[in-house]
Amino acid sequence: MAAKLYMFLPETAYLLMGLVLFLLSLPKEQPGGRVYVWALCLSLLGVAAAVAGLPQKGLIFFQAYRVDLYSQLFKLILSVAMFLVVSICWPLTGVERRYKPEFFLFLTTCTLGMMLMVSAVELMTLYLALELSSFSLYILVPLRSGDNIDIEAGVKYLFIGITASCVMLFGISYLYGAAHSTYLADILEKLPLWIHQPAAAIGLLLTLSGFFFKLAVFPFHFWAPDVYQGAANQVTTYIATVSKAAAVALLVRLTSLTGGTSLYLSYILIVLCVVSMGLGNLVAIVQKDLKRMLAYSTIAHAGYILMGILTMNELGYSAAVFYTVAYMIMNFAAFMVVVKLASQGQDLKISDLAGLHRRSPLLALTLMMALFSLAGIPPTVGFTGKFLVFAAAMQQGHFWLVLVGMINATISLYYYLMVIKAAYLAEPETEAPPLVIGMPTRLLNYLLIVVMAYLGIFPQQVMTLAENAVKQLIWGS
Amino acid sequence: MNSLTVYLFVALLLFCIGMFGLLQRRSLIGMIISIELMLNAAGINFMAFNRFLGPDPAVGQIMVLFIMGIAAAEAAIALSLTLALFRKLRSINIEHARDLRG
C-alpha cells in the first residue's frame, strides 16, 4: 500500500498544494506577496516530488492508472514548466487583486489534471482528467483585470473547448463500442484488427479532437488568437507552454494504439498538419499584436509536432516529444519577455518593442534567441527539433510533407525577423526609460539562453530519454 | 435494421442537431442547450453499446452517470460566464462580443 502511494507522489504534492492555496484564498483581507511565496515554494516541492517519482513503475487504481517512464517524464516536464510560470507571476499586474489566490489555485488544479491525464490508461479517467484541466483554464482566462476582452475571450474558449470535448466523448463511445472495453490495454489488443475499417478510425480521430483543441490544431484552432490576446499575460504563458505538453503526451499515446498501421488516420493527420502549418504561418504575417502573432505561430508549430506523430513509429514519437520540450523552452522565453515588458499587464504591439535593445539588452537578447529558435535557425534547439521531426517524416517516405514543412519554416522566418527588427533596429518615437530587471530574472534569462543553445548542439541526452520513454507506450495487458 | 443500429442512428442524429444548433444559434443559452444535446448523444451511444455488446453491464451506465455530472459542471461554468458577459454588455448575444479582431 505504501509503495502504491509512493507512485502517486507528484499528484499528491499538487493536491496538497491546491489545498493550501484554497485555504489561503478564504480570508477576506487578501495578503499580497504571501500567496506568491507559498505558490513558488510549493511548486518547487512539486518539482522535487516529480523527480523523486521518475523511477516509479506500475499500475494502480484498478489498472486505470499507469505509472511508467513515459508518464513520469511528462510529469517532470509539467512540474518544471509550472514552476517557471509561477516564478514570473510577480508582480501579478494583469489579474485583479482579490482573485490572486484563486489564480494560483486554478493553475495548480489545471496542472494536477494534466498530470492525471498523462498517466490515465482508461478512457473515463482520461476524460475526467482532461475536463479537470480544461475547467480550470476556462476560469483562469476571464480573471484578467480591466476591460471586457477577457470575458469575450473566456466565452470563446469555453464554447470551442466544450464542443471539442463533446466530439471527443462521442468518439470515445465509438471506441467503447468497437473494443467493448474502456481500458486502453484491451483497446490496444483489438484496435489494430479493426483500424482498417473507417468506423474505428473515425472513433479514434474524434477522440483525438479533444487534444487537437488543446494543441490548437486546425479545425479547433479558432480560440488561440483571441484567448492569447484576451487572457492575462501570465495565463497566456501557461496556456502556451504547460498545456501543450499534456496534449502531445496524449496524442502520442492514443495514436500508438493503432499499432502503427492506419492509412485513413495518417492521411487525415497529414491534411490537418499541412493546413495548420500553412494557415498559422500565413495569418501570423499580418498581425500587429505580439501575443496574437505568437498564437498563430503556435498553430503552425502544432502542425510541426503533428508531423512527428503521423509517422506512427517510435522515431517519430520521440522526435515529437523532443520538439514539444524544445517548443516549451523557446515559447516560454518569448512569453517571459512579454510579461516583463508589459509591466502594467497590458497587451503589447510589435511596434512597442522599439528601442528594446537599449532599454534592456538582456531581454532583447533572450527574445532574439527565442525567435531564432522558433524560426528554426541553427544552432538553436528549435532547429534540432525541426530537423528530428523532418527526418522522421522523411524516413516514412513523406517527401512532399517535409517539403511543405520546409517552405513553411521559411515563411515563418519573415515574421519572426520583423519582431527582431522592431526590437533592435526601430527607433522609438519617445525614448522610454531603461527597464530594471532583478537578479532572479537575470539568472532565468541566462539559463534560458544557455539551455536553448546547449540543447541545440547536444540533443542526445534528451533524445535518448524521449526514446526510452516512448518504448514504454506499447504494453500487453 | 437491428435495434442497435436504430439507437446509434438516433444518437448520431441528436449529435448532428446539437452541432447544427451550436453553429446556428447566436444566444449563449441556446448554445448551452445544444451542447447538452451533444453530450446526451454520447450517453445514448454508451447505453446502446452496453446493452447490445458490452460484456460487463455496469460500464456503460457508470459512464452515463459521469457524463451527467460533467454536463452539470459544464453548465455551471458556462452560465456563470454568460452572466459575467451580460453584466458587461447587457446582452447574451455572441455577435455583440466582437472586440477581439485581427
Side-chain angles (χ1 to χ4, degrees):
Chain A
M1 191 62 206
K4 289 200 167 179
L5 274 182
Y6 194 63
M7 277 186 229
F8 204 57
L9 192 63
E11 291 85 342
T12 318
Y14 273 89
L15 266 175
L16 288 177
M17 181 176 169
L19 202 62
V20 171
L21 288 171
F22 172 67
L23 291 177
L24 283 174
S25 73
L26 290 181
K28 263 218 172 87
E29 280 298 309
Q30 282 311 334
R34 219 174 62 200
V35 179
Y36 172 69
V37 175
W38 270 103
L40 196 63
C41 294
L42 286 170
S43 56
L44 193 61
L45 197 72
V47 175
V51 171
L54 202 57
Q56 297 297 316
K57 232 169 158 13
L59 283 164
I60 43 177
F61 300 135
F62 304 97
Q63 273 73 47
Y65 201 78
R66 184 177 156 88
V67 176
D68 56 19
L69 184 62
Y70 183 74
S71 69
Q72 300 309 90
L73 176 66
F74 269 102
K75 280 174 204 170
L76 183 63
I77 295 171
L78 286 170
S79 61
V80 170
M82 165 80 178
F83 172 70
L84 287 177
V85 171
V86 170
S87 75
I88 58 166
C89 283
W90 192 261
L92 198 49
T93 38
V95 175
E96 276 178 50
R97 189 180 162 77
R98 61 195 165 118
Y99 295 137
K100 279 176 188 175
E102 276 91 346
F103 168 82
F104 290 113
L105 170 63
F106 286 122
L107 278 190
T108 311
T109 51
C110 186
T111 314
L112 174 66
M114 287 173 187
M115 287 193 160
L116 295 172
M117 199 156 89
V118 295
S119 261
V121 289
E122 198 263 341
L123 289 173
M124 204 67 217
T125 320
L126 188 68
Y127 184 70
L128 284 176
L130 177 77
E131 293 297 85
L132 177 61
S133 70
S134 297
F135 286 1
S136 313
L137 280 180
Y138 298 152
I139 301 169
L140 274 172
V141 170
L143 279 188
R144 189 179 196 177
S145 58
D147 40 9
N148 292 342
I149 56 170
D150 58 331
I151 304 273
E152 185 189 335
V155 168
K156 286 181 177 168
Y157 191 45
L158 174 82
F159 277 97
I160 298 172
I162 295 181
T163 312
S165 95
C166 285
V167 173
M168 179 186 170
L169 196 64
F170 204 68
I172 288 180
S173 73
Y174 279 143
L175 274 188
Y176 170 66
H180 305 177
S181 165
T182 55
Y183 285 93
L184 292 192
D186 296 337
I187 297 175
L188 189 63
E189 274 178 17
K190 288 177 188 153
L191 202 64
L193 308 173
W194 275 83
I195 196 69
H196 298 291
Q197 303 196 357
I202 287 173
L204 189 59
L205 189 75
L206 294 182
T207 311
L208 292 180
S209 65
F211 305 104
F212 289 156
F213 160 72
K214 284 246 169 222
L215 201 59
V217 175
F218 173 86
F220 292 104
H221 66 280
F222 296 102
W223 60 274
D226 291 345
V227 169
Y228 274 43
Q229 189 188 350
N233 293 341
Q234 287 88 351
V235 177
T236 309
T237 312
Y238 184 87
I239 294 175
T241 53
V242 184
S243 73
K244 305 292 172 201
V248 174
L250 267 294
L251 275 177
V252 170
R253 172 159 270 168
L254 290 175
T255 316
S256 76
L257 289 178
T258 58
T261 49
S262 171
L263 275 183
Y264 290 112
L265 197 62
S266 103
Y267 285 147
I268 294 170
L269 288 181
I270 287 175
V271 172
L272 295 186
C273 165
V274 169
V275 177
S276 297
M277 285 191 298
L279 183 128
N281 280 324
L282 290 177
V283 185
I285 292 176
V286 297
Q287 298 305 319
K288 301 274 184 293
D289 187 290
L290 184 56
K291 281 197 290 174
R292 235 181 143 76
M293 186 217 85
L294 285 170
Y296 281 106
S297 105
T298 294
I299 300 172
H301 281 275
Y304 299 132
I305 293 174
L306 264 193
M307 200 189 284
I309 294 173
L310 64 84
T311 59
M312 296 194 187
N313 60 17
E314 282 184 7
L315 185 67
Y317 292 151
S318 42
V321 172
F322 182 87
Y323 197 90
T324 312
V325 174
Y327 176 70
M328 286 168 76
I329 297 168
M330 53 208 190
N331 222 15
F332 177 77
F335 273 104
M336 186 206 61
V337 175
V338 173
V339 169
K340 292 293 166 195
L341 262 181
S343 50
Q344 301 305 313
Q346 75 274 34
D347 288 334
L348 281 182
K349 296 258 175 288
I350 292 176
S351 51
D352 292 343
L353 292 173
L356 178 65
H357 69 291
R358 265 201 305 279
R359 294 176 67 200
S360 171
L362 185 59
L363 283 183
L365 183 65
T366 313
L367 184 68
M368 185 172 78
M369 218 24 208
L371 292 177
F372 274 161
S373 192
L374 283 166
I377 292 174
T380 54
V381 65
F383 167 74
T384 315
K386 276 203 182 64
F387 177 76
L388 290 169
V389 171
F390 288 171
M394 201 67 192
Q395 206 194 30
Q396 286 294 96
H398 297 299
F399 170 71
W400 289 105
L401 185 62
V402 173
L403 192 66
V404 172
M406 300 270 193
I407 293 170
N408 268 296
T410 319
I411 298 172
S412 73
L413 192 58
Y414 171 75
Y415 59 84
Y416 291 128
L417 283 179
M418 291 301 279
V419 178
I420 296 173
K421 181 178 151 230
Y424 271 92
L425 299 175
E427 288 303 320
E429 286 169 11
T430 50
E431 194 63 41
L435 272 173
V436 186
I437 49 175
M439 202 55 198
T441 314
R442 276 180 179 281
L443 284 178
L444 187 60
N445 271 294
Y446 293 135
L447 183 76
L448 284 169
I449 292 173
V450 168
V451 167
M452 277 189 277
Y454 178 82
L455 283 184
I457 302 166
F458 305 105
Q460 291 91 348
Q461 287 154 325
V462 177
M463 196 56 194
T464 316
L465 197 59
E467 275 168 4
N468 287 336
V470 165
K471 284 205 181 80
Q472 309 274 323
L473 277 173
I474 308 289
W475 80 97
S477 56
Chain B
M1 203 150 80
N2 63 28
S3 1
L4 176 62
T5 323
V6 174
Y7 280 103
L8 294 186
F9 186 72
V10 169
L12 188 63
L13 197 68
L14 204 57
F15 186 81
C16 292
I17 292 173
M19 188 61 104
F20 177 76
L22 197 69
L23 299 173
Q24 188 65 26
R25 290 275 160 185
R26 299 292 86 186
S27 137
L28 289 179
I29 301 288
M31 290 165 81
I32 293 171
I33 294 172
S34 307
I35 278 166
E36 298 294 320
L37 288 184
M38 288 161 77
L39 281 174
N40 283 315
I44 291 179
N45 258 356
F46 274 116
M47 282 313 291
F49 282 128
N50 184 57
R51 167 73 181 74
F52 292 100
L53 299 174
D56 181 355
V59 177
Q61 297 173 17
I62 294 168
M63 285 287 207
V64 173
L65 284 178
F66 271 109
I67 291 173
M68 285 175 181
I70 283 175
E74 249 163 12
I77 295 181
L79 285 174
S80 65
L81 264 181
T82 309
L83 197 63
L85 192 74
F86 181 75
R87 281 197 186 134
K88 293 208 166 173
L89 294 180
R90 311 308 295 171
S91 158
I92 54 166
N93 190 328
I94 193 75
E95 293 283 315
H96 293 156
R98 44 169 67 227
D99 289 329
L100 289 165
R101 292 272 144 162

